[in-house]
Amino acid sequence: MSVARAADLTVADYKRHEETSTLIAYEGVWTSTARVTSSGGSYRVSDNDGAAATIAFDGTAVGLIAMKAPSHGVMHVSLDGAAPVDVNLYASYNI
């Protein structure tokens, strides 16, 4: 997996799908919360073991926008069936 710096990409390189996109398949229990400061005006969260969000795409890169906060934990991210990578979303204040 290669990583591109966001500074190296242009607006034309991105296609954004918000949490309400029909291209995202959610498994398990998720809650949608309206928040004006969130991308698209809302976000989804799950604190249930086994909950998953999956998006299929053709391309060479994917990005994820997530907030860090005191109530958040670890997100497991996998690409193309590779072993999951842990992403710690805990922070002592909202970021």
Side-chain angles (χ1 to χ4, degrees):
M1 176 176 12
S2 63
V3 177
R5 295 178 337 133
D8 295 335
L9 302 174
T10 67
V11 173
D13 294 318
Y14 292 98
K15 181 167 184 176
R16 179 175 288 200
H17 297 284
E18 301 295 345
E19 55 98 10
T20 55
S21 172
T22 57
L23 296 176
I24 303 172
Y26 293 95
E27 297 176 39
V29 179
W30 290 80
T31 303
S32 184
T33 302
R35 185 182 186 122
V36 295
T37 58
S38 294
S39 172
S42 63
Y43 64 92
R44 288 196 191 185
V45 63
S46 180
D47 61 1
N48 293 283
D49 287 342
T54 304
I55 185 168
F57 69 97
D58 288 322
T60 59
V62 65
L64 176 70
I65 299 171
M67 185 173 88
K68 295 180 99 174
S71 62
H72 294 183
V74 176
M75 173 174 54
H76 311 289
V77 179
S78 177
L79 183 62
D80 293 335
V85 173
D86 292 344
V87 179
N88 187 352
L89 296 177
Y90 171 80
S92 57
Y93 56 92
N94 289 354
I95 301 175

